Amino acid sequence: MTFDLFADHDLQQPDRLDRIGEQAVVLRGFALPWVDSLLAALTPVLRQSPFRQMQTPGGYTMSARLSSCGALGWTTDHQGYRYSSVDPLTAQPWPAMPEVFLALAEAAASAAGFNTFVPDACLINTYCPGAKMSLHQDKNERCFDAPIVSVSLGLPAVFQFGGFSRSDTAQRISVFHGDIVVWGGVDRLRYHGVLPVKTGHHPLLGEQRLNITLRKAG
Ligand code: SIN
Ligand code: FE2
């Protein structure tokens, strides 16, 4: 037996589901058949509402650059974290949620055991090498009944999946192009984050990790 058997791409067999919590899973390679249509839909979205750097309420500049689509988009500035129906950068509504995002969100949620997931908010993050996302809870949504569906594309990253307080030890889970993490139910408010993305080149996306996170916010 050689270690080649455990190369990254061999982890992405279809239908492989890694359980990371009672109601939290990683669906390995689930988005792979959707990548072309996801990226095609993303282009006009990002033309309308480009990536931008945001400030935390505490005055830090986030290292990942963010955009949104859907009826509600997530933003942060000195006034706090919130969802809004207007993009503060363009003063226009956020771009509409592409159909393919809705379809993938529903399919992934269902594969993870959550039926009838209809997101109204999609946060789009790009991480260049070195960028990270500190441990946080997704709690700006109006209620926590719906799961979070988080699609990883491009460069790999280490996703941290913690407990219900920031200081709880977090699992470190490698996520690759096409993987989807879904968490909801009893795991909905777990702390999570992304360790600094390592330098690399992805054949499709170049020097970046893209993350598309679908939520029911309103
Ligand atoms: C997020 O929590 O908003 C992003 C998570 C990720 O990039 O995987
Ligand atoms: Fe999050």
Side-chain angles (χ1 to χ4, degrees):
M1 193 191 288
T2 75
F3 284 106
D4 283 353
L5 286 173
F6 302 103
D8 296 347
H9 59 268
D10 289 319
L11 291 171
Q12 295 192 305
Q13 296 145 354
D15 299 336
R16 178 161 161 210
L17 179 154
D18 291 343
R19 188 156 294 283
I20 58 172
E22 202 178 318
Q23 291 185 280
V25 298
V26 185
L27 305 170
R28 296 293 180 186
F30 193 93
L32 287 177
W34 303 67
V35 167
D36 290 351
S37 31
L38 289 177
L39 294 179
L42 205 51
T43 303
V45 164
L46 292 172
R47 201 181 300 128
Q48 192 177 328
S49 280
F51 286 127
R52 78 291 304 267
Q53 267 185 314
M54 290 187 189
Q55 315 289 321
T56 67
Y60 291 99
T61 301
M62 294 182 72
S63 56
R65 292 180 306 135
L66 276 55
S67 186
S68 280
C69 62
L72 294 168
W74 187 85
T75 59
T76 168
D77 58 20
H78 62 281
Q79 291 174 35
Y81 304 120
R82 65 194 172 279
Y83 284 96
S84 68
S85 53
V86 167
D87 176 353
L89 185 70
T90 64
Q92 298 295 316
W94 296 99
M97 177 96 70
E99 282 296 324
V100 60
F101 286 25
L102 288 173
L104 178 57
E106 156 103 85
S110 158
F114 300 97
N115 291 324
T116 60
F117 176 49
V118 186
D120 57 10
C122 174
L123 180 59
I124 309 157
N125 301 314
T126 179
Y127 300 76
C128 59
K132 66 179 174 73
M133 182 84 66
S134 302
L135 281 174
H136 66 277
Q137 291 169 296
D138 289 356
K139 58 176 184 190
N140 298 133
E141 297 72 27
R142 198 169 55 79
C143 83
F144 307 130
D145 292 350
I148 303 286
V149 170
S150 170
V151 184
S152 290
L153 297 169
L155 289 177
V158 177
F159 182 74
Q160 298 172 285
F161 195 62
F164 300 101
S165 76
R166 195 189 301 276
S167 56
D168 289 348
T169 307
Q171 299 177 64
R172 291 182 168 197
I173 300 144
S174 292
V175 285
F176 302 95
H177 180 70
D179 289 349
I180 302 187
V181 188
V182 183
W183 64 97
V186 297
D187 293 319
R188 174 63 179 73
L189 287 174
R190 281 188 187 269
Y191 276 84
H192 58 279
V194 179
L195 293 182
V197 169
K198 291 213 174 102
T199 304
H201 180 89
H202 188 271
L204 216 52
L205 287 160
E207 332 264 290
Q208 67 171 322
R209 171 175 185 262
L210 261 186
N211 176 259
I212 296 175
T213 307
L214 296 132
R215 302 105 184 262
K216 170 94 182 79

